[in-house]
């Protein structure tokens, strides 16, 4: 498809430094000096109208005077001059610029006006801008150091993307002493044009980058951020450091970047769901990157520790417990084998203390036996340099062992002078090595977190379940009625009606507006009853004196009515009272009181919360959060993230709760969030769950108008499985065919489909002699982000199971307006109009997504495909780059 549109930013053949200078310590002087000293491999032009030469090199008064193509402009001039400079660059054909200057929107209205003019000029001429108010950009492989950082940077395989220039300099200053190198460094500044997402997209496919490190202060567009983060995390490890974890920090971030921060636990949930590892400090950032640079993968978090010193082993165990890393239980067989090769005085447990006189052979035997234990997911090997220790020989032994296992092997060579050679050997072999047991255990926790989060990344749940379709239309009408009455808080009755529309079991409730009516209704419901104030203005009914429980007879009900009304009027005189809600006492001796809620985060939109319920919910603070949509896997992760989860199984004389009922209810709430963009807050508290099921005893819902959008899921940070695109179709011979978006669960079926294609069909689709999809390609084809791509498969049923017979897909181009498509139909199902039907559905989906153009590449020898696209109205032209390829294009 040609080079990436950001290639001139990362790999320019020519760079102009506009504002290059001889003035000591000026930004223009430092940047130009850095470019000279880093050995930039392209053409370099200083631009300064006041000097004939800058730092001994010929200077140009303007960019036009250069008279040769310039691919990247680095602008160091005063903010007021930048709009005109961008215009001059655009006229000269420059397509990328880095604006280091400060003085734009971050300083107020005047600066914001300058920024708007700069962006308007950039858009007119197609110039993409990094910054303004940033440190700059580095690309070590070509000697590009367009920053004002005073120091050298080693080449490496890590990419650093930071919103803070100051933090960039701190990391770059810290890195050389720790032997850390970079492929790219990008300081984003205020991200007025090119944003995080676009940089991540480039780095995700960059062969020079193996891991991506991100420093975040705030986020501008949650959907785009999540989409890019998930795409990058699918192809390589991504690590995030975010500041503003506490309220004071969040306020500082707002004043620094103007970006929204949102709740920290919601951010945590978001990055976990994106397959990303979050760390809390710069040191942890590099520990995590070092750990995941190893090719070995972990499927769990059970760690074995092998050491020649008891103290460091115990330190490692303590820190593992602190971090939630499981200390592996060694099997009886493993203990027996270790007894044969270790001295009688070994620890006979994990950590495996192999005693201070351990030889390389003893290390080899102990580590091999532990790594072979199926209950061990990874090993940490600790060495302290004692009189009889040979650190280098042990290191070489472990390097040989590591190659035989697909489990992570981490090392901790403690000390300095005696162990230097061993550490160097580990670094050469890409085996993670650390100087303290704690940092090594932390690194293992990041490895396990990464692979756990990768499983979360693979989840693409649908907005609606297939059990008992909810009454979405009824729910919408209820909300519209409330909003039309200029209300935003639903009454308890309305809230429960909304839950019932989504098949959530609720406690039956009636409203009484007089003591006599309360008496009558209580007798109809049956004693004992509960009575609660019915007011849209009162959230915490107990605090206002608005709740009476276990009322056993008529006199108690009459007295309770009067007491509640007088108490609430005294405590909340401004509240509007609409009678009193009466419901049967929910008597569940084995019931656990839980809380299930929805909040709206300012960055990530709707968030589902779960935890301990009842009147102590704020005090206990036991909650876990998740970004919708959810499926059963994600629901179980959410429940497990709370302390109350430990009380949901059998304990004392109580039976376990009916977990399926709780999971189903959480899935129902996820459906509500997906389908009701008006839903802003919801509290189901208490949610009472026992061995027989779940019941929403009380509920409060707050709604508001939703932004008008053609995207039905515009309110969500993660696009759910688009079940509205599922269609059924019948061939003339009666064969039933379903066309639907692809799911991760389709991987095995997709593999079989590609395996059974003829050699010609494979060549036409993949343009090479591919025999079978690799696991990476399979994941890439089935775990898609529906916000930026779409894959529709045609399936039919054979022998009671689904079989894929065709697939088409589009991927949105970086311009956001066009997309590239691909199509393949199984050989035996061709000439049945399946390709035509699939393409029609794909074009409709692209059109509804707001795309304007669909294009693709077809081999000139693929006559059937060329005939098909012609009937669909595509224009066909020979590719300018390869006469054997046809470019096909159609307006949508």
């Amino acid at each position: 498809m040609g080079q990436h549109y950001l290639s001139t930013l990362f790999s320019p053949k020519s760079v102009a430094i506009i504002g290059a200078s001889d003035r000591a310590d000026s930004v223009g002087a430092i940047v130009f000096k850095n470019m000279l000293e880093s050995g930039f491999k392209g053409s370099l032009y200083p631009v300064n109208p006041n000097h004939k030469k800058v730092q001994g090199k010929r200077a140009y008064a303007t960019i036009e005077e250069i008279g040769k193509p310039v691919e990247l402009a680095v602008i160091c001039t005063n903010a007021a001059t930048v709009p005109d400079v961008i215009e001059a660059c655009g006229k000269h054909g420059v397509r990328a610029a880095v604006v280091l200057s400060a003085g734009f929107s971050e300083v107020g209205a005047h600066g914001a006006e300058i920024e708007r003019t700069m962006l308007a000029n950039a858009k007119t001429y197609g110039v993409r801008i990094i910054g303004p108010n940033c440190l700059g950009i580095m690309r070590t492989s070509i000697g590009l150091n367009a920053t004002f950082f005073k120091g050298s940077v080693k080449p490496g395989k890590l990419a650093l993307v930071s919103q803070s220039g100051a933090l960039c300099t701190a990391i770059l200053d810290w890195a050389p002493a720790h032997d850390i190198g970079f492929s790219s460094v990008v300081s984003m500044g205020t991200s007025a044009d090119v944003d995080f997402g676009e940089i991540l997209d480039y780095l995700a496919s960059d062969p020079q980058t193996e891991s991506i490190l991100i420093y975040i202060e705030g986020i501008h567009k949650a959907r785009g951020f999540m989409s890019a983060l998930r795409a990058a995390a699918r192809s390589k490890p991504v690590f995030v450091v975010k500041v503003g974890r506490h309220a004071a920090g969040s306020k500082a971030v707002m004043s620094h970047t103007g970006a929204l921060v949102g709740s920290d636990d919601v951010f945590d949930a978001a990055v976990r769901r994106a397959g990303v590892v979050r760390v809390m400090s710069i040191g942890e950032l590099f520990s995590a990157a070092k750990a995941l640079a190893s090719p070995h993968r972990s499927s769990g978090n059970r760690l074995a520790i092998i050491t020649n010193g008891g103290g460091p082993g115990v330190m490692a165990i303590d820190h593992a417990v602190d971090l939630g890393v499981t200390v592996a239980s060694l099997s009886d067989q493993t203990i027996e084998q270790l007894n044969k090769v270790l001295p009688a005085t070994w620890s006979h447990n994990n950590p495996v203390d192999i005693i201070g006189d351990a030889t390389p052979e003893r290390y080899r035997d102990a580590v091999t036996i532990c790594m072979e234990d199926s209950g061990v997911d990874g090993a940490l090997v600790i060495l302290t340099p004692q009189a009889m220790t040979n650190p280098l020989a042990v290191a070489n032994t472990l390097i040989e062992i590591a190659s035989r296992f697909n489990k992570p092997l981490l090392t901790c060579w403690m000390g300095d002078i005696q162990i230097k050679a061993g550490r160097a050997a580990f670094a050469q072999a890409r085996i993670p090595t650390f100087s303290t047991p704690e940092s090594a255990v932390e690194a293992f926790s990041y490895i396990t977190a990464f692979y756990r989060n990768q499983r979360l990344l693979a989840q693409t749940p649908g907005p609606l379940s297939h059990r008992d379709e909810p009454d979405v239309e009824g729910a919408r009408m209820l909300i519209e009625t409330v909003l039309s009455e200029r209300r935003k808080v639903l009454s308890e009755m309305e809230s429960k009606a909304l839950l019932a529309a989504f098949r959530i079991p609720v406690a039956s409730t009636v409203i009484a507006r007089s003591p006599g009516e309360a008496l009558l209704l209580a007798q109809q419901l049956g004693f004992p009853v509960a009575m609660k104030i019915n007011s849209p203005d009162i959230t915490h009914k107990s605090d206002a004196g608005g709740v009476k429980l276990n009322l056993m007879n008529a006199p108690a009900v009459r007295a309770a009515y009067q007491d509640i009304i007088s108490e609430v009027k005294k405590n909340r005189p401004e509240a509007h009272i609409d009678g009193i809600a009466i419901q049967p006492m929910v008597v569940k001796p084995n019931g656990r009181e839980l809380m299930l809620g929805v909040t709206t985060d300012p960055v990530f939109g709707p968030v589902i919360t779960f935890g301990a319920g009842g009147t102590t919910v704020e005090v206990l603070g036991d909650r876990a959060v998740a970004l919708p949509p959810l499926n059963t896997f994600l629901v179980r992760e959410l429940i497990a993230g709370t302390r109350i989860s430990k009380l949901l199984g059998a304990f004392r004389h109580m039976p376990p709760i009916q977990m399926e009922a709780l999971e189903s209810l959480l899935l129902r709430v996820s459906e509500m969030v997906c389908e009701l963009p008006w839903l802003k807050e919801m509290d189901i508290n208490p949610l009472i769950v026992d061995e027989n099921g779940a019941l929403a005893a009380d509920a409060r819902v707050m709604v508001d108008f939703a932004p008008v959008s053609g995207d039905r899921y515009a309110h969500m940070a993660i696009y759910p499985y688009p079940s509205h695109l599922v269609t059924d179709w019948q061939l003339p011979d009666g064969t039933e065919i379903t066309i639907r978006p692809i799911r991760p669960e389709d991987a095995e079926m997709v593999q079989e489909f590609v395996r059974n294609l003829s050699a010609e069909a494979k060549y036409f689709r993949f343009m090479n002699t591919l025999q079978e999809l690799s696991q990476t390609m399979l994941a890439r084809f089935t775990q898609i982000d529906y916000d930026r791509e779409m894959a529709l498969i045609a399936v039919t049923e054979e022998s009671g199971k689904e079989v894929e017979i065709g697939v088409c897909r589009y991927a949105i181009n970086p311009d956001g307006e066009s997309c590239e498509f691909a199509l393949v139909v199984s050989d035996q199902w061709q000439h049945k109009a399946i390709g035509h039907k699939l393409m029609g559905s794909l074009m409709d989906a692209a059109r509804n997504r707001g795309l304007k153009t669909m294009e693709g590449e077809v081999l000139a020898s693929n006559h059937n495909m060329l005939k098909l696209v012609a009937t669909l109205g595509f224009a066909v032209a020979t590719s300018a780059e390869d006469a054997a390829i046809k470019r096909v294009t159609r307006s949508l």
Side-chain angles (χ1 to χ4, degrees), residues 217 242-256 261:
E217 292 187 341
K242 174 184 167 287
V243 291
R245 288 189 290 128
H246 305 294
S250 296
K251 286 176 185 171
V253 168
M254 283 292 288
S255 63
H256 186 191
V261 181

Side-chain angles (χ1 to χ4, degrees), residues 73-237:
V74 181
I75 301 170
C76 317
T77 60
N78 184 281
T81 67
V82 173
D84 290 342
V85 171
I86 289 290
E87 182 176 23
C89 287
K91 287 178 178 176
H92 192 69
V94 176
R95 291 294 168 261
V98 178
V99 180
L100 306 180
S101 326
F104 293 87
S105 57
E106 77 276 6
V107 299
H110 178 65
E113 182 56 38
I114 296 172
E115 188 173 299
R116 278 192 291 274
T117 308
M118 173 190 77
L119 293 174
N121 290 350
K123 190 169 185 183
T124 300
Y125 294 100
V127 181
R128 300 307 309 273
I129 294 174
I130 291 279
N133 191 16
C134 68
L135 178 71
I137 184 169
M138 293 186 192
R139 185 73 164 172
T140 54
S141 61
I142 59 169
L144 175 69
N145 182 359
T147 73
F148 52 93
F149 169 66
K150 290 181 175 180
S152 60
V153 174
K154 277 185 61 178
K157 293 293 187 179
L158 300 177
L160 171 65
V161 187
S162 174
Q163 273 181 322
S164 164
L167 190 109
C168 250
T169 60
I171 291 177
L172 296 177
D173 191 50
W174 183 91
H178 294 81
D179 200 32
I180 302 289
F182 298 91
S183 61
S184 303
V185 177
V186 184
S187 167
M188 299 298 297
T190 53
S191 307
D193 179 29
V194 175
D195 65 14
F196 254 125
E198 293 176 276
I199 297 295
L200 285 175
D201 281 340
Y202 182 89
L203 295 173
S205 56
D206 175 29
Q208 294 182 37
T209 297
E210 289 182 358
S211 299
I212 303 170
L213 315 180
I214 305 175
Y215 171 83
I216 292 176
E217 292 187 341
I219 296 153
H220 294 276
K221 300 169 189 168
R223 174 76 70 80
F225 171 76
M226 285 295 289
S227 203
L229 208 53
R230 294 172 81 202
R234 282 200 170 99
S235 59
K236 52 194 69 171

Side-chain angles (χ1 to χ4, degrees), residues 433-638:
T433 188
F434 302 89
S435 55
T436 66
E438 290 89 349
S439 57
V441 171
E442 270 173 18
F444 181 75
S445 76
Y446 298 138
I447 294 176
T448 59
F450 176 73
Y451 294 106
R452 184 179 67 245
N453 292 355
Q454 288 288 300
R455 290 196 294 277
L456 297 184
L457 172 61
Q459 308 299 312
T460 54
L464 296 173
S465 71
H466 297 293
R467 310 181 306 273
D468 295 334
E469 286 293 318
D471 180 10
V472 177
E473 197 51 44
R476 287 175 180 164
M477 287 174 67
L478 171 59
I479 292 171
E480 284 167 4
T481 300
V482 170
L483 291 173
S484 71
E485 294 173 2
R486 299 187 178 181
R487 291 190 292 125
K488 292 186 178 179
V489 180
L490 277 63
S491 68
E492 184 174 342
M493 295 288 283
E494 289 166 334
S495 297
K496 287 182 174 176
L498 196 69
L499 297 182
F502 278 81
R503 315 301 180 218
I504 293 174
V506 294
S508 55
T509 307
V510 291
I511 302 296
R513 292 184 173 81
S514 70
E517 193 177 2
L519 191 65
L520 185 65
L521 292 171
Q523 285 173 332
Q524 289 175 2
L525 290 170
F527 294 105
V529 295
M531 296 175 66
K532 294 179 279 187
I533 195 71
N534 188 42
S535 169
D537 303 320
I538 299 174
T539 301
H540 301 294
K541 301 180 178 74
S542 299
D543 296 350
V547 177
K548 298 286 184 182
L549 304 175
N550 274 318
L551 302 167
M552 306 301 293
N553 52 48
V557 167
R558 187 189 294 275
Y561 190 98
Q562 300 290 9
D563 288 349
I564 289 174
I565 294 293
S566 60
E567 279 292 305
V568 170
K569 282 185 175 177
K570 183 177 74 176
N571 295 325
R572 295 290 302 275
E574 83 294 351
H576 171 72
I577 298 173
D578 184 22
I580 288 181
I582 304 174
Q583 65 185 58
M585 271 306 292
V586 179
V587 182
K588 288 181 176 283
N590 296 324
R592 280 70 147 184
E593 287 195 353
L594 306 175
M595 178 279 299
L596 184 50
V598 173
T599 60
T600 300
D601 185 77
V603 177
F604 293 101
V607 177
I608 294 174
T609 65
F610 171 78
T615 55
T616 57
V617 60
E618 283 93 353
V619 179
L620 294 176
D622 177 25
R623 79 162 193 170
V625 302
L627 262 61
L630 303 179
N631 62 7
T632 305
F633 178 90
L634 295 168
V635 160
R636 287 171 184 164
E637 285 268 327
L638 177 63

